[in-house]
């Protein structure tokens, strides 16, 4: 990948804006604390004259800086991304059960509001929509591979009501479960 050429002032503006788009482009090091961060780090901003910019982790660590504990630039993924991944895993593992946003938030240890916003920011869907997609995909698989009735599949994949199952299935697969079954044969 070609290195993006940014001036010191442009980089400074990026860290003031906490712009995630530049997290893999450069790192910010603070001379006084000997800590380095991602450009998107929400920690208190240092004085401009105490800031240095580095291209990669090896270079900044060789200069004697340690990773910020808040934004964890030494990890390959951001802490937010690991939370999103944890939520996805939780939803996949518990799709058959009745799951509400409070359960998911409790699992990852954050507020429901922040979790919903963070998940949507990284996946473009809410946790509820993601869970619904998992259930519809599982239902489609069961339609293909079993002789279970649509009603049995509805409850098997975790839907609480047949009407919601039919509505979600039609939305996800653009046809009813019965039409999907006919196409599968």
């Amino acid at each position: 990948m070609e290195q993006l050429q940014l001036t010191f002032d442009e980089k400074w503006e990026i860290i003031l804006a906490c712009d995630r788009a530049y997290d893999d482009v450069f790192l910010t090091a603070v001379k006084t604390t000997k800590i380095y961060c991602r450009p998107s780090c929400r920690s208190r901003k240092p004085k401009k004259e105490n800031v240095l910019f580095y291209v990669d982790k090896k270079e900044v660590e060789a200069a004697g800086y340690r990773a910020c504990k808040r934004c964890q630039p030494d990890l390959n993924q951001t802490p937010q991304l690991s939370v999103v991944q944890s939520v996805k895993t939780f939803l996949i593992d518990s799709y058959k059960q009745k799951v509400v946003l409070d359960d998911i938030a409790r699992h990852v240890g954050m507020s429901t509001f922040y979790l919903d916003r963070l998940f949507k920011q990284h996946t473009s869907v809410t946790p509820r929509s993601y869970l619904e997609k998992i259930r519809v995909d599982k239902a489609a698989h069961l339609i293909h591979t079993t002789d279970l009735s649509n009603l049995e599949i509805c409850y098997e994949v975790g839907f609480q009501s047949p009407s919601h199952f039919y509505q979600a299935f039609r939305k996800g697969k653009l046809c009813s479960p019965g039409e999907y079954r006919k196409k599968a044969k």
Side-chain angles (χ1 to χ4, degrees):
M1 182 171 113
E2 184 182 316
Q3 181 61 37
L4 185 63
Q5 296 300 315
L6 298 168
T7 67
F8 183 92
D9 288 332
E10 287 172 323
K11 290 177 182 176
W12 178 250
E13 290 299 320
I14 289 167
I15 67 166
L16 290 179
C18 299
D19 193 341
R20 281 194 185 124
Y22 294 90
D23 279 356
D24 58 349
V25 176
F26 67 89
L27 295 166
T28 304
V30 182
K31 296 177 205 174
T32 53
T33 61
K34 291 300 212 182
I35 294 174
Y36 71 95
C37 297
R38 299 174 192 271
S40 65
C41 187
R42 295 281 179 187
S43 294
R44 195 171 132 222
K45 300 304 174 211
K47 291 182 179 177
K48 190 173 181 177
E49 61 268 13
N50 293 332
V51 174
L52 294 172
F53 296 106
Y54 289 90
V55 176
D56 64 15
K57 183 172 72 168
K58 289 178 189 170
E59 182 184 10
V60 72
E61 287 177 352
Y65 292 91
R66 73 169 177 80
C68 170
K69 291 182 180 176
R70 186 170 186 177
C71 68
Q72 302 173 337
D74 53 333
L75 300 179
N76 288 336
Q77 62 181 15
T78 65
Q80 294 88 1
L81 217 49
S82 61
V83 168
V84 170
Q85 191 58 45
S86 178
V87 169
K88 286 180 177 180
T89 303
F90 178 77
L91 292 173
I92 290 167
D93 291 344
S94 53
Y95 75 91
K96 288 184 177 185
Q97 299 146 6
K98 183 177 182 181
V99 179
V100 293
L101 193 56
D102 284 337
D103 298 332
I104 305 165
R106 207 172 11 265
H107 175 74
V108 293
M110 60 179 47
S111 76
T112 55
F113 174 76
Y114 183 67
L115 170 66
D116 199 43
R117 191 178 74 196
L118 178 71
F119 194 84
K120 190 168 185 175
Q121 188 176 38
H122 284 276
T123 63
S124 300
V125 295
T126 64
R128 178 184 170 98
S129 297
Y130 189 81
L131 177 61
E132 197 170 86
K133 182 187 179 335
I134 293 168
R135 288 176 174 165
V136 167
D137 289 345
K138 295 285 184 181
H141 175 73
L142 288 175
I143 287 171
H144 273 282
T145 59
T146 68
D147 289 329
L148 294 173
S149 71
N150 291 345
L151 187 60
E152 290 170 319
I153 290 172
C154 162
Y155 292 119
E156 176 65 25
V157 297
F159 282 99
Q160 303 298 310
S161 76
S163 62
H164 185 225
F165 168 64
Y166 283 100
Q167 180 185 15
F169 197 93
R170 184 172 291 282
K171 180 180 164 193
K173 299 295 181 187
L174 304 176
C175 63
S176 72
E179 293 166 342
Y180 193 82
R181 190 179 300 270
K182 288 176 187 170
K183 289 179 189 176
K185 291 183 180 186

